Amino acid sequence: MKLSLGCIADDYTGASDLANTLTRCGLRTVQTIGVPSDDLALPEVDAVVVSLKSRSIEAGLAVTRSRSAEKWLRGRGADHVLFKICSTFDSTEAGNIGPVMDALCADSGDAIVLVTPAFPETGRTVYQGNLFVGAVPLNESPLKDHPLNPMHDSNLVRVLARQSQTKVGLVDLATLARGEASVRARLADLAGKGIGAAVIDAVFDRDLETIGNVALDHRLSVGASGIGLGLARALVASGKVRSNVAEANADAPVGGPAACLAGSCSQATLLQIANAEKAMPVLHLDPDRVVAGPDEARRALAWAKERIGDGPLLIASSSTPDQVAALQSRHGRDAAGHAIEQAMADIANGLVQSGVRRLVVAGGETSGAVVDRLGIPGFLVGAEIAAGVPVLRAVGAKNGEMLLALKSGNFGGAEFFSDALKLMR
Ligand code: ADP
């Protein structure tokens, strides 16, 4: 099997977002957790998104990890690699976008690389090289106060030039609007002047499609899910990939018992739990007892094992903001959060050992802890349960065939747990 597209994402949720976007465009897509082992058995897929946690680590380390992901993807035949960054260009003067781009570009042999974080459907647009978040420039958006990488300059040509060894140019919207030939000519012109990276404007989805077509001339591009959408549509339009939207088998039934876990305390999740009470047995953990030791997780598992043969069930640690604040003041925020995440991971592991093959998890951090504990190396992305929340089929997992849904906080409708189980058979 030869990959049509390889992607390296600098964080997990960005990777999921990209994998979901590619799937919606018709690419059979696997998201891996970290750089996969050489012997990972993959189903027949068009794209792999390697999820790294390299956005805020030391630049040299981000380069090393990104290069090893690139090597793996090229080894699986990927002609084009997308380095997936945040659509708000989250980075500092030290990187990591510039240094990783420089290294991957050197490896690719390309004279110039296209760069755009534009993703119009989520309000990220780029005009004259300036990134807008909704109606305001990046430096007036909430990103100006980001705790790790406050963004004080909206001009991405300048931002990227400060991080990169190469000179950075611009392909503006007027050039883009004249079509692919015009973009190609501009890139050749920039490359001729020794400019190794070009920020490209994009305001509408059609701009991303033009960019995708041109980017496929190259071996590397840099951007967010928007350019992923452009690349995916270009691959399908060119016939290099047959759209597989209809026959993706990511959600083929696995059978076996189903369970839900909720560690999110978001308003949406609290409502979803209340609604689940009408459809399945629900166990509310005692958060103080969870923090105190392993007995509460054991009690939950015993409770689940008695019922798991009769149908889906839900185990929740979630509580209201007042109760969360009170627990945190008793135990400390990090200690309480970590203890509960680990207890949820223990419970997930126990459930899977007891035969559960369909697992729904509410909570971003909670999901991360569960996936780590289950040792799942990757997921084939399936149908969307709710916007941004697809059914996932575990790939290469030691526990065998399994379907998961991983939902962060506020995602999903009021009946999310039942909605998920309907698609996970
Ligand atoms: P979300 O996606 O809604 O942010 P996360 O799982 O990312 O959900 O984060 C929720 C955090 O709250 C986790 O660290 C979890 O362990 C913690 N938590 C879960 N239940 C409780 C509770 N009852 N009190 C305090 N913290 C909790």
Side-chain angles (χ1 to χ4, degrees):
M1 183 210 59
K2 182 177 177 306
L3 292 180
S4 298
L5 181 64
C7 306
I8 304 164
D10 68 355
D11 88 335
Y12 285 5
T13 43
S16 309
D17 180 30
L18 174 62
N20 195 37
T21 301
L22 299 179
T23 305
R24 279 195 285 129
C25 292
L27 269 55
R28 295 165 301 181
T29 305
V30 159
Q31 175 189 354
T32 70
I33 310 299
V35 181
S37 62
D38 284 335
D39 61 356
L40 175 69
L42 279 183
E44 193 69 23
V45 288
D46 307 302
V48 169
V49 181
V50 175
S51 336
L52 301 179
K53 272 188 186 163
S54 56
R55 185 171 294 167
S56 308
I57 61 176
E58 190 269 317
L61 203 54
V63 167
T64 311
R65 293 197 182 146
S66 304
R67 269 194 152 137
S68 86
E70 179 203 22
K71 189 160 173 267
W72 189 93
L73 292 163
R74 300 278 189 210
R76 297 284 175 129
D79 288 331
H80 191 90
V81 168
L82 166 63
F83 170 37
K84 158 72 173 73
I85 57 168
C86 186
S87 64
T88 45
F89 219 76
D90 294 19
S91 54
T92 67
E93 311 233 329
N96 289 334
I97 298 173
V100 173
M101 175 189 81
D102 288 349
L104 298 181
C105 199
D107 293 349
S108 74
D110 286 346
I112 190 162
V113 56
L114 277 172
V115 182
T116 188
F119 195 17
E121 71 179 51
T122 60
R124 276 41 158 182
T125 56
V126 180
Y127 180 64
Q128 297 296 349
N130 292 276
L131 175 57
F132 290 81
V133 179
V136 297
L138 178 66
N139 66 329
E140 292 174 25
S141 77
L143 270 292
K144 71 183 191 313
D145 302 315
H146 191 284
L148 297 177
N149 43 262
M151 302 302 289
H152 295 307
D153 189 354
S154 305
N155 186 309
L156 300 183
V157 176
R158 281 194 304 249
V159 172
L160 188 57
R162 286 195 290 265
Q163 299 176 19
S164 167
Q165 299 294 318
T166 184
K167 285 195 265 179
V168 181
L170 172 69
V171 181
D172 68 2
L173 196 64
T175 306
L176 188 70
R178 286 194 291 275
E180 290 169 32
S182 171
V183 175
R184 289 189 172 102
R186 172 81 178 141
L187 287 174
D189 181 41
L190 292 173
K193 292 178 179 146
I195 293 173
V199 172
I200 184 161
D201 285 349
V203 175
F204 300 106
D205 275 9
R206 64 170 182 270
D207 301 328
L208 298 172
E209 289 172 13
T210 308
I211 293 169
N213 283 326
V214 175
L216 283 184
D217 299 351
H218 301 244
R219 281 171 54 77
L220 177 73
S221 50
V222 177
S225 292
I227 196 169
L229 179 144
L231 287 162
R233 288 196 183 161
L235 284 166
V236 171
S238 69
K240 287 184 186 140
V241 168
R242 201 166 54 86
S243 173
N244 291 289
V245 169
E247 65 251 55
N249 69 348
D251 337 299
V254 295
C260 307
L261 295 175
S264 165
C265 300
S266 71
Q267 240 183 348
T269 305
L270 294 175
L271 173 65
Q272 289 157 353
I273 295 169
N275 285 332
E277 306 254 12
K278 295 172 218 149
M280 63 189 87
V282 178
L283 177 69
H284 293 273
L285 298 172
D286 176 336
D288 276 300
R289 290 189 56 187
V290 173
V291 178
D295 282 353
E296 184 70 349
R298 282 192 205 120
R299 180 177 78 92
L301 269 177
W303 176 88
K305 279 180 192 168
E306 274 175 26
R307 291 166 178 81
I308 202 73
D310 302 332
L313 49 82
L314 167 63
I315 298 173
S317 69
S318 321
S319 43
T320 59
D322 288 356
Q323 293 165 324
V324 169
L327 188 88
Q328 288 176 340
S329 71
R330 287 196 290 280
H331 303 283
R333 172 199 294 241
D334 290 348
H338 182 74
I340 297 175
E341 285 162 31
Q342 291 310 309
M344 289 307 231
D346 289 341
I347 294 170
N349 197 31
L351 290 170
V352 171
Q353 301 307 328
S354 314
V356 165
R357 288 288 163 268
R358 298 175 287 146
L359 188 63
V360 182
V361 188
E365 294 299 325
T366 309
S367 296
V370 166
V371 167
D372 281 351
R373 182 67 57 86
L374 295 180
I376 299 176
F379 302 105
L380 183 62
V381 181
E384 268 186 315
I385 301 160
V389 192
V391 176
L392 301 170
R393 172 176 295 263
V395 166
K398 57 182 188 302
N399 295 308
E401 290 252 83
M402 187 169 178
L403 295 180
L404 293 101
L406 308 174
K407 175 194 94 86
S408 62
N410 278 313
F411 283 52
E415 305 291 339
F416 176 76
F417 292 106
S418 300
D419 292 346
L421 293 168
K422 270 185 214 140
L423 287 183
M424 300 163 66
R425 296 184 181 280

